[in-house]
Amino acid sequence: MKAVILAGGLGTRLSEETSIRPKPMVEIGGKPILWHIMKTYSAHGINDFIICCGYKGYIIKEYFANYFLHMSDVTFDMRFNQMNVHSGYAEPWRVTLVNTGDNTMTGGRLKRISEHLGNETFCFTYGDGVSDINITELVKFHQQQNTLATLTAVQPAGRFGAISLGYEQTKITNFREKPEGDGAWINGGYFVLEPEVINLIADDSTVWEQEPLEKLAYMEQLSAFKHYGFWQPMDTLRDKNHLEGLWNSGQAPWKVW
């Protein structure tokens, strides 16, 4: 099974980092968040990736072109222009990098890589968030639903501390830092899709989360896999620092490998 990852957006809310690199290449623990996402899929036996590049996509291409070198101990003999690799570790990955345009919308990017999909069920997600989702169970759930698409539904925690205050009350009687949120389920990405969904995408201007998903829901061809575990997008520098802190503490919930 293939996994398609969106990696072409501008990431404007993380401009401190994305002015010099695409958002999926922003590092958590010295590795791009894209690497963390791929490691999650790989832990469940999915090692064939299609990366939808766009903004500064050449940086992603250069990263994978030099991946083996980055992961190895080497000696450079300048006199003879030789490089000797002493030890190295390479992932069992097959990575296809496709330039899907700087300004293409999420649905358009998926349509642009359709020729690489074949006629098989595939995974699809965003290149800017991590989760401890069980991909194996997600795929199994999708197969049982017999629908064209399955998305992962998550309940994000509240971003700010919640306090209880009655009308004209000035003394706080209850405080919870980062409460569970309002209980609403939202789209957490980590889709499993049938190739027929490509037919619902018109062109580069199509936003995947609008017309295609709305049509799938209307057709009763969209299922929801409820994920109760860890899920965290990296939208802001605050999010990035939070993920970095979890990784450095050795308590990164998404590290399932």
Side-chain angles (χ1 to χ4, degrees):
M1 181 175 287
K2 294 181 173 68
V4 179
I5 304 177
L6 293 174
L10 295 176
T12 53
R13 285 183 290 178
L14 197 60
S15 58
E16 300 91 343
E17 293 273 356
T18 56
S19 61
I20 58 174
R21 72 187 93 188
K23 190 176 180 183
M25 295 304 291
V26 174
E27 294 183 351
I28 303 297
K31 296 287 196 305
I33 193 169
L34 177 61
W35 178 88
H36 291 263
I37 296 166
M38 295 169 72
K39 288 287 284 186
T40 300
Y41 278 103
S42 189
H44 292 275
I46 297 176
N47 295 301
D48 195 345
F49 298 97
I50 302 170
I51 312 298
C52 302
C53 300
Y55 171 72
K56 294 186 182 294
Y58 64 89
I59 294 177
I60 302 176
K61 292 179 180 178
E62 289 172 356
Y63 176 77
F64 285 105
N66 296 305
Y67 187 85
F68 187 75
L69 180 62
H70 292 162
M71 301 296 287
S72 306
D73 295 331
V74 297
T75 295
F76 295 99
D77 191 325
M78 304 301 184
R79 294 170 299 171
F80 302 104
N81 194 27
Q82 293 179 342
M83 180 183 74
N84 297 315
V85 179
H86 301 295
S87 63
Y89 175 75
E91 308 288 349
W93 295 345
R94 181 176 186 269
V95 185
T96 302
L97 300 153
V98 183
N99 179 15
T100 57
D102 283 3
N103 301 310
T104 307
M105 297 291 103
T106 49
R109 294 190 191 281
L110 180 55
K111 190 176 184 69
R112 283 209 187 190
I113 58 90
S114 60
E115 64 183 279
H116 299 283
L117 291 173
N119 194 33
E120 301 175 351
T121 306
F122 65 97
C123 294
F124 177 51
T125 197
Y126 308 108
D128 61 356
V130 287
S131 175
D132 61 356
I133 181 172
N134 189 321
I135 303 292
T136 303
E137 290 299 317
L138 168 62
V139 173
K140 185 185 298 184
F141 174 86
H142 172 75
Q143 293 168 340
Q144 293 170 345
Q145 295 303 301
N146 196 31
T147 55
L148 293 178
T150 296
L151 65 75
T152 297
V154 297
Q155 293 176 302
R159 295 186 65 89
F160 306 100
I163 58 178
S164 295
L165 279 178
Y167 183 69
E168 293 186 348
Q169 181 182 346
T170 59
K171 297 290 177 63
I172 296 173
T173 58
N174 182 274
F175 179 87
R176 286 185 298 154
E177 177 64 11
K178 295 183 180 177
E180 289 300 315
D182 59 9
W185 291 93
I186 67 167
N187 167 27
Y190 291 94
F191 298 89
V192 182
L193 305 173
E194 298 301 321
E196 291 89 339
V197 301
I198 303 296
N199 299 328
L200 300 176
I201 302 172
D203 51 34
D204 284 357
S205 65
T206 302
V207 177
W208 168 249
E209 299 77 12
Q210 294 179 4
E211 296 96 330
L213 285 187
E214 290 168 2
K215 288 180 182 177
L216 285 165
Y218 177 77
M219 296 161 56
E220 298 185 353
Q221 288 294 318
L222 180 61
S223 300
F225 177 79
K226 292 182 178 179
H227 175 60
Y228 294 92
F230 179 84
W231 175 86
Q232 177 66 56
M234 188 181 65
D235 290 329
T236 65
L237 188 59
R238 175 180 176 176
D239 295 333
K240 191 262 187 190
N241 291 337
H242 174 58
L243 292 173
E244 187 83 33
L246 288 173
W247 183 266
N248 291 338
S249 69
Q251 299 177 347
W254 70 90
K255 189 180 183 300
V256 296
W257 55 90

